[in-house]
Structure formats: C-alpha cells, structure tokens
C-alpha cells in the first residue's frame, strides 16, 4: 500500500474502555502495518484510556455517551 495513504478514524462515542478499545487497536495496528498514516478525530476534551501512538485531532462539540442508558435510550442519543 502507498506509504502516503492517510486514514482518519472518527470517534463520536465516548467510552471508558471495553471492546471498543481493542477494536480500535486492531484497526490502527493493521492500517499502520499496511503503511498508512492513521489519525483520530475526537470530540474536544476526549481522553483515550489507551495510547494508540497516532495523531489525535479535536472536533468542536461533545461526543455521545451511553453510560447509564438502556437500549431505547441509546437509540435516542444516537439520533
């Protein structure tokens, strides 16, 4: 793959951990293994609990937080 290929990952769901971290880690590791320049766009003030060793670019606004909501509440917050 072209070494100048750039990939942006947009994180809009704010989580403290779990399978999302592992999923993102796998994506980042594989893309970097292919020679891609990977970076994240995240809501302003977002702090990762894992260091992916990539550039992070803030977006204005807040992310979606599902903490303490049920299935129906998650759907409404997503909309």
């Amino acid at each position: 793959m072209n070494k100048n290929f750039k990939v942006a990952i947009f994180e809009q769901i704010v989580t403290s951990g779990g399978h999302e971290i592992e999923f993102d880690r796998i994506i980042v590791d594989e893309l970097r293994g292919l020679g891609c320049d990977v970076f994240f766009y995240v809501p302003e003030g977002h702090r990762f609990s894992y260091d992916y060793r990539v550039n992070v670019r803030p977006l204005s606004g807040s992310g979606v937080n599902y903490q303490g909501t049920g299935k129906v509440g998650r759907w409404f917050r997503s909309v």
Side-chain angles (χ1 to χ4, degrees):
M1 186 169 274
N2 184 345
K3 296 278 186 190
N4 296 325
F5 195 70
K6 295 183 179 186
V7 177
I9 299 173
F10 289 83
E11 281 291 345
Q12 66 182 19
I13 299 173
V14 179
T15 60
S16 59
H19 65 277
E20 293 88 0
I21 291 174
E22 185 65 14
F23 184 71
D24 286 346
R25 186 194 61 77
I26 291 169
I27 291 172
V28 168
D29 288 348
E30 290 298 319
L31 289 169
R32 285 176 42 192
L34 293 170
C36 298
D37 181 19
V38 182
F39 54 93
F40 280 96
Y41 280 105
V42 298
E44 58 189 357
H46 176 71
R47 299 286 178 254
F48 286 107
S49 57
Y50 178 82
D51 183 10
Y52 296 99
R53 300 179 326 272
V54 298
N55 289 326
V56 178
R57 300 176 182 176
L59 295 170
S60 61
S62 61
V64 177
N65 187 340
Y66 294 135
Q67 196 167 8
T69 60
K71 291 180 182 179
V72 175
R74 290 178 184 180
W75 184 83
F76 280 109
R77 288 188 183 188
S78 295
V79 174

